[in-house]
Amino acid sequence: MPRSKEQFEEMRNATRKKIHSAAMQLFAHQGFGLTNVQDIADTAGVSIGLLYRHYKTKDQLFNELVAYAVEGLKRNITFFESDQSPRMLLAQFVDEVYTDMINGEELAHLLILINQSLLAGAATASEHYEEILQVNAKLLDSTAELIRKGQQLGEFYSGDAQEMASLFYASIQGLAQMKVLLKSNFTMPSPSLLTAFLLKERK
């Protein structure tokens, strides 16, 4: 019995997901330059011909992954700019980061991927380089504004909100690098430790 259009689309999506996962893993562990298309196909468990049916070049695949990561950053900005309690928003965000980091490698890989695309410049991420710079700056600013609101409400410790936001993201980025490097020896700090310099203890 021939497959339906929906079944073909389901198979196509499953293949792309395997390719995405393999590419993120390899780019994070050995870098864009040292990863070739055959490596990605082998890790994904697909033929190189099938991979080329989905992506014509390694750069196209890399750019799609970066675009996916950028959309995630944009969602975080929208989340932080909502009218809910600053304490609740930050605590929920950190809980999600913690859960993602202990349950898999995708978040760590995505964070490293964004970092790689910025360090490599337009050479490997020409489609998204400027956008990543703008979105990263916007995320830092929206987080700093969230911290200021929390400080005004007495929920956050005092201090320069921009500096505190920078330290917050540097911690998460560093933990992503450590997770990839240390593998099973990595221990993710608790949400309360990640926010210890930001959130005051409830009385």
Side-chain angles (χ1 to χ4, degrees):
M1 184 176 177
R3 292 189 177 94
S4 66
K5 184 179 178 181
E6 289 76 16
Q7 286 173 318
F8 271 117
E9 189 60 29
E10 192 175 317
M11 289 173 61
R12 176 180 167 80
N13 289 336
T15 299
R16 289 175 77 90
K17 190 171 182 179
K18 285 195 290 186
I19 293 170
H20 281 186
S21 179
M24 281 194 294
Q25 177 187 332
L26 291 168
F27 289 148
H29 284 264
Q30 58 192 46
F32 177 84
L34 294 178
T35 300
N36 61 49
V37 178
Q38 186 66 63
D39 292 334
I40 298 169
D42 291 345
T43 303
V46 302
S47 69
I48 196 163
L50 181 57
L51 189 150
Y52 276 125
R53 282 206 288 273
H54 288 270
Y55 299 99
K56 300 300 181 190
T57 65
K58 182 176 71 167
D59 292 76
Q60 182 189 357
L61 172 54
F62 183 82
N63 276 311
E64 185 169 304
L65 291 172
V66 171
Y68 173 70
V70 168
E71 287 307 308
L73 295 180
K74 288 178 179 178
R75 286 193 295 274
N76 290 337
I77 293 169
T78 301
F79 179 70
F80 281 154
E81 290 179 344
S82 71
D83 294 328
Q84 299 180 66
S85 156
R87 184 187 188 93
M88 189 212 73
L89 288 172
L90 190 74
Q92 185 177 329
F93 175 76
V94 171
D95 282 345
E96 289 175 3
V97 168
Y98 177 81
T99 300
D100 287 347
M101 290 282 272
I102 63 171
N103 288 333
E105 293 191 318
E106 182 174 313
L107 177 60
H109 290 164
L110 284 172
L111 290 172
I112 292 170
L113 197 73
I114 290 174
N115 198 38
Q116 284 180 357
S117 67
L118 289 173
L119 291 174
T124 56
S126 56
E127 292 179 24
H128 302 286
Y129 180 65
E130 291 300 328
E131 184 182 17
I132 297 167
L133 287 176
Q134 292 169 8
V135 171
N136 264 324
K138 177 68 174 171
L139 179 60
L140 198 61
D141 288 344
S142 65
T143 307
E145 184 57 31
L146 184 78
I147 292 170
R148 288 187 196 99
K149 288 179 183 177
Q151 289 171 334
Q152 290 166 5
L153 293 169
E155 299 176 343
F156 287 55
Y157 288 111
S158 60
D160 185 294
Q162 205 74 28
E163 291 180 1
M164 294 166 86
S166 295
L167 178 58
F168 177 64
Y169 287 116
S171 299
I172 294 173
Q173 183 70 43
L175 288 167
Q177 298 276 2
M178 289 181 67
K179 180 176 175 65
V180 169
L181 291 172
L182 298 178
K183 299 181 175 63
S184 61
N185 291 323
F186 172 73
T187 301
M188 182 66 188
S190 67
S192 60
L193 189 57
L194 282 172
T195 57
F197 73 101
L198 286 169
L199 298 181
K200 290 182 178 180
E201 290 186 16
R202 285 197 172 102
K203 294 180 180 179

